[in-house]
């Protein structure tokens, strides 16, 4: 395999494949490096992406990969990036199996890694009945007995979106509430239950939640639980000196450029709007921006 490329895309899910297609159609020599472990791999169906609504995430990504690799200048490498560095006139990318590749430009489409809380049953239900996004999953669970696991201003704002989809709603702050008195009064007005007890276990069958058990022994029946959990970047962005914002996302400008010239980022690693449709759109745009920059440098 050729070791020098115009562009290396780190991450071969929706954003990375979309960027790869735009670049492949522009005759750019591209290497997409991916580990094959997307964050939505447990999710049974993907929604809110026209022409693909209801398909499994794997169906969409498999078809995308098949179509992208029809462009002869796009190559795919199955692996995990362990180090990325800047040389005098190029970037060097090393994978865990010792392979080293070089490129003029880098696109970080590596996504994020969700950090699961230490609650038995949580990870098994993640993406199935413990979900993060009302736009991706909300319609399918509308009207069901629903919980939200979050606290503070985030919980208050998020509850407004979920309340639109179900009125049988309980907010689990999973510890002492940090809601303001005004926010609590608003919950009371809308008859949203507020529970400050810590969750000790999620009881489920094959990822489908049945109830939560609290540390005080109380059991509460649930059909679905929205959860806002922390995350971290999938790759060591500090290798290149990439800046993160206060939420932990890669900082990019309107052209998806990071603070390091020649390094771009797109997809879940730059925005809280985690969706297939958004990742595809960002990847397509980023591919076009990178091709334009290469074209200007070569003209």
């Amino acid at each position: 395999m050729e070791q020098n490329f115009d562009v290396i895309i780190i991450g071969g899910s929706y954003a990375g494949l979309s960027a790869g297609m735009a670049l492949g159609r522009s005759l750019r020599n591209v290497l997409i490096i991916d580990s094959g472990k997307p964050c939505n791999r447990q999710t049974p169906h993907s929604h809110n992406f026209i022409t693909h609504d209801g398909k499994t995430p794997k169906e969409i990504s498999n078809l995308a990969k098949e179509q992208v690799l029809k462009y002869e200048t796009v190559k795919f490498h199955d692996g995990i990036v362990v180090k990325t560095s800047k040389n005098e006139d190029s970037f060097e990318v090393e994978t865990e199996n010792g392979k080293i590749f070089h490129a003029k430009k880098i696109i970080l489409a590596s996504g994020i890694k969700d950090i699961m809380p230490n609650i038995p049953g949580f990870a098994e239900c993640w993406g199935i009945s413990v979900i993060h996004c009302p736009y991706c999953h909300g319609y399918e669970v509308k009207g069901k007995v629903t919980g939200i696991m979050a606290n503070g201003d985030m919980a208050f704002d998020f509850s407004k979106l979920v309340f639109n989809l179900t009125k049988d709603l309980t907010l689990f702050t999973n510890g002492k509430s940090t809601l303001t008195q005004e926010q609590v009064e608003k919950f009371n007005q809308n008859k949203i239950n507020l529970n400050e007890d810590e969750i000790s276990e999620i009881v489920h069958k094959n990822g489908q939640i049945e109830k939560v058990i609290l540390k005080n022994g109380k059991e509460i029946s649930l059909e679905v639980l929205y959860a806002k959990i922390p995350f971290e970047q999938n790759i060591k962005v500090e290798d290149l000196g990439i800046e993160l914002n206060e939420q932990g996302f890669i900082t990019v400008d309107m052209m998806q450029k990071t603070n390091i010239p020649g390094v771009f980022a797109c997809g879940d690693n730059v925005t809280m709007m985690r969706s297939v449709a958004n990742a595809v759109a960002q990847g397509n745009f980023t591919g076009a921006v990178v091709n334009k920059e290469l074209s200007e440098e070569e003209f």
Side-chain angles (χ1 to χ4, degrees):
M1 180 186 290
E2 181 185 355
Q3 303 298 302
N4 295 290
F5 298 86
D6 293 322
V7 185
I8 291 177
I9 301 173
I10 302 175
S13 194
Y14 313 106
L17 288 168
S18 183
M21 178 172 280
L23 288 161
R25 291 181 56 81
S26 300
L27 307 181
R28 297 298 178 185
N29 289 312
V30 178
L31 178 66
I32 301 174
I33 303 175
D34 185 69
S35 64
K37 294 181 179 179
C39 65
N40 64 357
R41 55 188 178 273
Q42 284 193 175
T43 304
H45 298 98
S46 176
H47 292 282
N48 209 28
F49 181 21
I50 55 172
T51 73
H52 293 290
D53 191 52
K55 290 185 178 179
T56 67
K58 193 67 174 174
E59 281 181 286
I60 301 172
S61 60
N62 281 349
L63 179 59
K65 183 177 177 181
E66 177 186 324
Q67 293 177 345
V68 170
L69 290 181
K70 286 181 179 178
Y71 294 93
E72 62 274 11
T73 61
V74 181
K75 302 292 185 283
F76 201 92
H77 179 72
D78 184 8
I80 297 174
V81 172
V82 294
K83 186 177 181 182
T84 307
S85 56
K86 178 77 168 70
N87 297 328
E88 190 171 326
D89 56 355
S90 69
F91 294 93
E92 182 176 288
V93 175
E94 182 179 348
T95 62
E96 64 176 354
N97 57 7
K99 294 280 187 179
I100 295 178
F101 306 99
H102 295 89
K104 300 173 186 175
K105 309 289 180 184
I106 296 288
I107 297 177
L108 302 176
S110 43
I112 56 177
K113 178 182 179 180
D114 295 303
I115 302 173
M116 302 292 164
N118 188 26
I119 299 174
F122 188 100
E124 292 84 352
C125 294
W126 185 242
I128 302 171
S129 61
V130 176
I131 55 181
H132 77 283
C133 174
Y135 296 104
C136 300
H137 309 286
Y139 183 86
E140 284 64 43
V141 297
K142 63 185 184 297
K144 292 192 174 184
V145 183
T146 301
I148 298 173
M149 192 178 83
N151 207 348
D153 291 340
M154 177 192 293
F156 184 71
D157 290 336
F158 193 63
S159 295
K160 299 173 189 175
L161 295 176
V162 179
F163 185 68
N164 176 56
L165 297 165
T166 181
K167 300 301 183 277
D168 194 339
L169 186 59
T170 299
L171 174 67
F172 297 90
T173 57
N174 199 34
K176 185 173 177 58
S177 169
T178 56
L179 296 166
T180 66
Q181 186 57 43
E182 291 77 15
Q183 289 170 338
V184 171
E185 289 173 2
K186 198 68 175 176
F187 275 94
N188 292 335
Q189 289 173 21
N190 287 303
K191 298 180 180 178
I192 297 173
N193 301 312
L194 178 60
N195 194 307
E196 296 183 73
D197 297 311
E198 291 186 47
I199 297 173
S200 65
E201 184 181 353
I202 292 175
V203 178
H204 67 97
K205 280 187 180 178
N206 299 319
Q208 183 56 57
I209 187 172
E210 295 183 335
K211 60 185 176 181
V212 296
I213 300 177
L214 305 176
K215 286 191 175 179
N216 61 10
K218 187 176 181 181
E219 299 182 0
I220 298 179
S221 296
L222 278 183
E223 294 177 279
V224 60
L225 177 68
Y226 289 89
K228 289 294 186 181
I229 61 175
F231 67 88
E232 61 187 11
Q233 291 291 327
N234 258 328
I235 64 169
K236 299 177 181 178
V237 294
E238 60 268 21
D239 284 351
L240 286 169
I242 300 293
E243 291 179 357
L244 303 179
N245 62 24
E246 59 185 17
Q247 288 84 34
F249 295 106
I250 295 174
T251 302
V252 293
D253 64 11
M254 294 293 289
M255 305 303 284
Q256 302 300 133
K257 296 181 180 182
T258 70
N259 60 301
I260 303 299
V263 181
F264 301 74
C266 56
D268 290 353
N269 56 7
V270 303
T271 176
M272 66 178 64
M273 187 63 180
R274 295 173 64 177
S275 74
V276 174
N278 188 59
V280 170
Q282 279 196 359
N284 179 265
F285 178 73
T286 304
V289 169
V290 172
N291 179 64
K292 182 175 185 294
E293 190 167 286
L294 287 167
S295 299
E296 289 174 344
E297 290 171 358
E298 295 166 357
F299 189 75

